[in-house]
Amino acid sequence: MSHPSNRPASKAQPLNPSRRLVLQAAGAAVAAPWTFAAHAAGQIAGGKPITLVVSYAAGGGADLMARLIAPRMAEFLGQPVLVDNKPGAGGQIAATQVARAVPDGTQLLVDASSFAVNPALYPKLPYDTDTAFAPLAVLAQFPNVLVCTPGFEAKSVKDLIRLAKAKPGQIAYASSGNGSAQHLAGALFEDLAGVKLVHVPYRGGGPAMNDVMAGQVPLFFANVASSLGQIQSGRLRPLAVTSRRRTRSLPDMPTMEEAGVPAYEVLEWNPVLAPAGIDAKSKAALVAAIRKTMADPEVLGRIRSLSGEAFPEGPEALTQAFLKAQQLKWGRIIKDRKITTG
């Protein structure tokens, strides 16, 4: 492998969302830590049940995170926290419901990284991403891993780049659909590596990964947790992880930067957002409950077992700045590459 890390494999470090806007916001914000005494138990909307409206179907990453945090949030808030899946339209159905909800803290959106992609991907959304929500948290960040068919001739990312430059427009990568996270990961790779690949969209990540294992398409930017078993069994061969830091599940696998693609980072993440207009005390109580939930050893252990890391704590502006930085990053890729859902 190219550019082996100087860090021992057992000391893989947590993911870092480092983005210029994030750092600027963190430095400029007043460091006023959230306290868990912001609200007495059950005082959000008089103790009514709080619903986590999930933008994707049961069994997906956003759903898993919502169901992981709901019991602990309920415990810390002293009132019921329920999960309601509202999949469809790339997350727009759930987002629209929460954007139009009464801003009393009883309806919260648990979305995916598509939240930052949709403003550029869809010409007209039924809500304004910048003004319709009050961001509460980013729960965790999960890397992807570039995998290939075991018999693929490239043995490293540098091999892949040399091969792609020798055969422009001839090497394909699969994705779960046009505008999907895997599609954008491939588009960013083309952009930063200076190569031209062929995008092959599928109807879902499962069929895409199956065809890569079968040798129909050589490359796929896979979720680490869902592909780990196939990697360990030898049905997929990993080339690099897409985070800036090595991941716990694949500690010997280089990052894309270590493998020769500077500035490359693709993470999947799950934001929690309230409707705009929520009062400050309710917002503070919800943020405090989420932070305490994410610090719970059982919750943190489960996230790490899925190859993720909790989003770093910081001032309130950190979450907002991260979302904006992600929106700008993917908006540029979508515009430059003329990516559409069609």
Side-chain angles (χ1 to χ4, degrees):
M1 298 176 190
S2 303
H3 300 297
S5 172
N6 293 325
R7 294 184 297 276
S10 62
K11 295 184 179 179
Q13 300 180 37
L15 303 178
N16 187 340
S18 55
R19 280 287 178 269
R20 181 172 55 83
L21 287 174
V22 174
L23 294 174
Q24 287 175 343
V30 177
W34 295 98
T35 65
F36 299 119
H39 252 219
Q43 282 196 357
I44 291 179
K48 292 179 182 178
I50 295 169
T51 300
L52 303 180
V53 183
V54 182
S55 56
Y56 290 89
D63 176 70
L64 187 152
M65 288 302 300
R67 294 181 191 279
L68 180 62
I69 68 172
R72 287 291 186 269
M73 283 186 65
E75 178 184 336
F76 297 136
L77 290 168
Q79 60 196 100
V81 178
L82 313 174
V83 176
D84 184 20
N85 299 86
K86 294 288 184 181
Q92 293 182 60
I93 292 175
T96 300
Q97 177 177 319
V98 173
R100 295 175 179 173
V102 176
D104 60 0
T106 60
Q107 288 200 55
L108 308 177
L109 176 65
V110 178
D111 209 339
S113 46
S114 54
F115 179 80
V117 171
N118 285 352
L121 194 59
Y122 294 96
K124 181 178 282 190
L125 292 172
Y127 50 84
D128 186 329
T129 301
D130 293 328
T131 61
F133 303 99
L136 302 178
V138 173
L139 296 177
Q141 297 171 300
F142 298 89
N144 288 333
V145 55
L146 175 58
V147 296
C148 64
T149 302
F152 185 51
E153 58 186 294
K155 303 303 179 186
S156 68
V157 170
K158 283 195 171 181
D159 285 348
L160 170 60
I161 293 172
R162 281 195 293 267
L163 189 63
K165 287 184 176 180
K167 301 178 179 180
Q170 296 182 48
I171 298 173
Y173 70 98
S175 85
S176 60
N178 287 310
S180 66
Q182 297 89 7
H183 183 187
L184 296 177
L188 183 64
F189 179 83
E190 290 182 87
D191 193 43
L192 296 180
V195 298
K196 184 178 181 181
L197 304 176
V198 177
H199 172 232
V200 182
Y202 284 76
R203 292 184 178 274
M209 191 159 67
N210 287 339
D211 265 14
V212 174
M213 288 188 289
Q216 300 300 314
V217 181
L219 300 170
F220 183 54
F221 288 86
N223 175 276
V224 172
S226 64
S227 62
L228 189 59
Q230 310 297 350
I231 290 171
Q232 292 171 337
S233 69
R235 299 185 70 192
L236 289 171
R237 179 158 54 82
L239 295 175
V241 293
T242 64
S243 51
R244 290 281 181 89
R245 306 281 186 176
R246 293 195 178 197
T247 181
R248 296 169 189 269
S249 299
L250 296 167
D252 296 325
M253 190 53 45
T255 68
M256 197 68 81
E257 282 194 317
E258 291 172 335
V261 186
Y264 189 95
E265 182 183 47
V266 176
L267 300 169
E268 295 188 26
W269 40 272
N270 301 105
V272 183
L273 307 105
I278 186 172
D279 69 273
K281 287 185 178 180
S282 293
K283 182 180 180 182
L286 289 166
V287 169
I290 293 170
R291 289 190 174 193
K292 196 169 182 181
T293 293
M294 296 304 296
D296 180 86
E298 185 177 337
V299 172
L300 190 57
R302 178 60 176 149
I303 289 170
R304 287 176 173 173
S305 75
L306 296 169
S307 306
E309 293 291 344
F311 190 78
E313 272 200 24
E316 179 186 2
L318 184 65
T319 296
Q320 180 69 55
F322 174 81
L323 295 178
K324 189 62 180 178
Q326 289 288 304
Q327 189 175 329
L328 291 172
K329 171 181 177 175
W330 295 117
R332 180 187 66 80
I333 292 294
I334 290 167
K335 180 180 179 181
D336 290 350
R337 295 267 166 179
K338 297 181 173 57
I339 294 173
T340 67
T341 57

